[in-house]
């Protein structure tokens, strides 16, 4: 069935049907739902090229990755985010354009994107504390949504984020409630906004427990298995080693677990471990019972929500900046237990 036949079937004009399917706000909600239902029943899919010509849109969303971060494309977190976003794009008839750009050349690329008009909006990944991309994209008039926030940017902009500070304060607080006071933090790179907020949450929980932070128990870096293994190995060799670890990634937590095994220590009995980002499609946290205690927030859900926010901004250019905060839940696994008395 083509657009003309669908319009005749509904006794509506082709213009009304097209506008209903393309999300124009002036179409009544009842009409939009009626058109969408009929399109689904008759397996009607708008031609993307024709749709673009009719709306003046490129029908594509851009995701820009700098070359120094290209390894992120094989990160299971990035993969889950893209999967969630792609589900929203497919539903709306949009394509995704993934572009690699040389470090320091993003400004030129964004200007070229605006001039060529080959995408209708941008998802911004991995914001730093003071991210220049936000001001640039705002000045260029390109719709964008940031996955995360930039703490030092005061201008209004659209973002979706997980409450990193609260999640890590809750996780560290759970460990202090179990009697742990020597709690290590293995974090992401702390010039990244998410990692900065996680460190703040960790420190807040220590302050509540009247425990002085120890810089010897804090590491930051690319969230790899090797980071977890090396950092944990060094800390466990201290005269006063940690009794618990809090990590920013399950990949890192796997490295911590390897370090514990190397020293003959049992995770959850001798040393506790809490991680984040355990809800990943290709890296499940156990089967029937979680291996790791974790603070969990679905990255796939974040990707889907971010895409829908951006699509709404494209359809409704005058809508105010959209912002959405996700909260993490605490998942109990086998990796945590009460602090054990120190051996003397």
């Amino acid at each position: 069935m083509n657009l003309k036949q669908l319009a005749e079937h509904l006794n509506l004009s082709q213009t009304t049907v097209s506008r209903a399917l393309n999300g124009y706000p002036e179409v009544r909600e009842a009409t939009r739902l009626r058109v969408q239902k009929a399109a689904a029943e008759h397996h009607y899919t708008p031609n993307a090229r024709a749709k673009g010509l009719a709306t003046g849109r490129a029908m594509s969303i851009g995701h820009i990755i700098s070359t120094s971060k290209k390894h992120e494309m094989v990160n299971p977190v990035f993969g889950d985010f893209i999967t969630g976003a792609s589900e929203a794009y497919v539903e709306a008839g949009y394509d995704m354009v993934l572009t690699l750009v040389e470090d320091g050349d993003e400004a030129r690329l964004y200007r070229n994107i605006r001039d060529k008009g080959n995408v209708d909006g941008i998802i911004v990944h991995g914001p730093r504390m003071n991210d220049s991309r936000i001001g640039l994209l705002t000045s260029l008039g390109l719709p964008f949504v940031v996955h995360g926030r930039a703490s030092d940017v005061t201008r209004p902009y659209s973002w979706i984020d997980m409450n990193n500070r609260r999640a890590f304060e809750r996780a560290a607080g759970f460990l202090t409630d179990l009697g742990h006071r020597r709690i290590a933090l293995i974090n992401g790179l702390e010039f990244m906004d998410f990692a900065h907020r996680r460190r703040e949450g960790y420190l807040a929980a220590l302050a509540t427990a009247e425990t002085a932070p120890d810089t010897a128990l804090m590491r930051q870096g690319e969230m790899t298995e090797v980071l977890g293994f090396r950092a944990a190995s060094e800390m466990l060799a201290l005269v006063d080693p940690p009794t618990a670890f809090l990590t920013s990634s399950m990949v890192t937590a796997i490295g911590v677990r390897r370090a514990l095994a190397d020293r003959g220590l049992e995770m959850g009995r001798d040393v506790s471990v809490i991680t984040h980002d355990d809800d990943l499609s290709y890296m499940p946290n156990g089967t029937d019972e979680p291996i790791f205690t974790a603070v969990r927030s679905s990255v796939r859900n974040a990707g889907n929500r971010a895409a829908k926010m951006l699509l709404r901004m494209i359809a409704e250019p005058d809508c105010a900046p959209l912002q959405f905060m996700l909260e993490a839940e605490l998942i109990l696994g086998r990796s945590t237990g009460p602090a054990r008395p120190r051996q003397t």
Side-chain angles (χ1 to χ4, degrees):
M1 176 176 284
N2 58 32
L3 179 64
K4 180 180 179 182
Q5 292 168 329
L6 181 63
E8 290 174 350
H9 171 74
L10 292 166
N11 197 27
L12 295 170
S13 70
Q14 292 184 51
T15 299
T16 298
V17 172
S18 176
R19 287 178 176 272
L21 292 171
N22 290 322
Y24 280 82
E26 62 266 29
V27 178
R28 290 188 307 168
E29 180 69 6
T31 301
R32 183 180 66 81
L33 293 174
R34 179 176 163 232
V35 170
Q36 288 181 340
K37 180 181 179 182
E41 289 175 348
H42 294 278
H43 306 290
Y44 171 75
T45 303
N47 179 278
R49 181 173 175 80
K51 188 175 181 181
L53 291 172
T55 62
R57 299 175 188 159
M59 304 306 297
S60 295
I61 301 297
H63 292 253
I64 315 299
I65 305 295
S66 64
T67 51
S68 64
K69 295 291 184 182
K70 63 184 178 182
H71 63 280
E72 293 292 338
M73 289 186 292
V74 298
N75 187 311
V77 174
F78 182 78
D80 266 27
F81 184 91
I82 290 296
T83 298
S86 296
E87 290 168 348
Y89 300 153
V90 169
E91 183 180 343
Y94 271 74
D95 293 322
M96 183 187 76
V97 177
L98 182 62
T99 304
L100 275 176
V101 60
E102 293 292 332
D103 291 343
D105 207 24
E106 282 187 272
R108 183 186 63 81
L109 177 64
Y110 286 133
R111 290 189 176 94
N112 286 346
I113 287 172
R114 189 273 313 274
D115 294 341
K116 291 179 181 178
N118 55 352
V119 302
D120 296 315
I122 299 284
I123 298 287
V124 176
H125 295 276
R128 301 188 176 205
M129 299 287 291
N130 189 358
D131 202 302
S132 61
R133 293 174 295 177
I134 293 171
L136 174 62
L137 289 168
T138 301
S139 67
L140 293 175
L142 272 171
F144 69 94
V145 171
V146 180
H147 180 209
R149 286 174 288 166
S151 296
D152 295 339
V153 175
T154 56
R155 70 170 70 231
Y157 61 93
S158 295
W159 52 261
I160 183 167
D161 198 12
M162 193 274 291
N163 196 334
N164 287 285
R165 188 186 191 281
R166 185 177 298 171
F168 271 57
E169 183 174 5
R170 185 180 183 189
F174 178 76
L175 290 170
T176 61
D177 287 345
L178 288 172
H180 295 280
R181 292 299 180 267
R182 298 286 290 169
I183 302 171
L185 173 68
I186 305 180
N187 203 3
L189 293 164
E190 290 178 355
F191 60 79
M192 306 296 288
D193 196 86
F194 78 89
H196 171 77
R197 292 178 187 273
R198 291 177 185 182
R199 180 187 177 97
E200 285 188 329
Y202 161 81
L203 292 174
L206 294 184
T208 299
E210 299 181 345
T211 299
D214 184 349
T215 55
L217 299 184
M218 301 179 204
R219 296 286 192 282
Q220 59 170 306
E222 294 285 353
M223 295 183 294
T224 63
E225 192 272 351
V226 172
L227 171 67
F229 175 74
R230 289 178 177 170
S233 296
E234 292 169 5
M235 294 179 190
L236 291 168
L238 294 172
V239 174
D240 191 8
T243 63
F245 287 86
L246 176 55
T247 76
S248 269
S249 166
M250 195 167 77
V251 176
T252 308
I254 291 170
V256 173
R257 186 184 188 184
R258 178 160 68 98
L260 294 175
D262 272 6
R263 298 183 73 87
L265 298 172
E266 183 179 338
M267 184 175 72
R269 186 193 68 178
D270 300 311
V271 178
S272 290
V273 179
I274 296 185
T275 189
H276 179 65
D277 278 342
D278 77 313
D279 187 21
L280 303 174
S281 300
Y282 300 102
M283 191 176 288
N285 182 8
T287 51
D288 298 330
E289 179 185 1
I291 297 170
F292 292 100
T293 296
V295 278
R296 173 184 295 177
S297 180
S298 170
V299 180
R300 185 167 179 166
N301 177 49
N304 190 266
R305 285 180 177 270
K308 288 180 177 178
M309 289 168 64
L310 183 55
L311 292 171
R312 180 185 169 192
M313 292 169 62
I314 293 166
E316 304 174 35
D318 295 328
C319 72
L322 306 176
Q323 299 171 347
F324 192 86
M325 180 74 83
L326 297 162
E327 296 292 343
E329 56 181 332
L330 181 66
I331 304 298
L332 298 182
R334 303 194 302 270
S335 66
T336 49
R340 301 185 75 187
R342 285 191 60 192
Q343 300 295 320
T344 58

